[in-house]
Each structure stands twice: as structure tokens, then as C-alpha cells.
Amino acid sequence: MYIHLGGEKIILSSELVAIFDISIEKSSKISKQFVTHAIQEKNVVRIGEEEAKSIVVTKNTVYYSPISSSTLKKKTNLNYLM
């Protein structure tokens, strides 16, 4: 199954690790460290020019998506993602 993350970006659902609301970046020190490390490793992709609403973590990349985490979760049909 494929998941549309916004813009022209589509991923395989089998690559998906987690979907987070963008607010987690500010509210969690560990999340901020994770994203900072991903940026340093050049594994971060910003989708489109709109403000990011969610962070999507895959096996190899961290995406900043303009689609809300709740909408992305609905697209996955998976109930265990936050």
C-alpha cells in the first residue's frame, strides 16, 4: 500500500515507522535530538512550501509533511500509529 505525504511524495506503507504531530518537536527533548541528528545526517526532506503539520519517520528518511498527522493516520488504515 502507498501513502501520499503531500506534494508529489508517496511512500510504501512498509517503509513507515511513525507519524507524529509537528508539536512533538517542541515538546519532547528526545524528539528534537532525533530530528537534529537526522538533519545532520541529511536524512530530512521537507515536502512542499507549506508549513509542516506532521513528521513522518520511515526506515531511511524523516519527512516534514504539510498534511496533519491525523489525516495521514487515516490514510494508512493502521490504528497503532500516533
Side-chain angles (χ1 to χ4, degrees):
M1 181 169 132
Y2 295 94
I3 303 167
H4 177 249
L5 300 182
E8 296 181 9
K9 187 63 190 168
I10 298 171
I11 63 167
L12 284 170
S13 60
S14 61
E15 293 292 310
L16 183 64
V17 175
I19 298 172
F20 299 104
D21 187 85
I22 195 71
S23 64
I24 196 166
E25 189 177 42
K26 293 180 177 132
S27 65
S28 169
K29 185 177 179 179
I30 293 172
S31 298
K32 183 63 175 169
Q33 289 172 344
F34 174 79
V35 171
T36 300
H37 182 266
I39 290 169
Q40 291 170 347
E41 295 295 317
K42 299 184 178 165
N43 293 335
V44 174
V45 175
R46 292 193 180 269
I47 301 169
E49 296 186 19
E50 297 176 54
E51 184 178 342
K53 295 179 182 172
S54 62
I55 298 172
V56 179
V57 180
T58 66
K59 294 178 182 177
N60 299 312
T61 308
V62 175
Y63 296 96
Y64 279 79
S65 173
I67 300 174
S68 72
S69 58
S70 60
T71 300
L72 288 171
K73 181 180 174 186
K74 289 175 191 172
K75 289 181 177 188
T76 65
N77 293 323
L78 301 174
N79 294 324
Y80 59 88
L81 297 173
M82 294 298 184

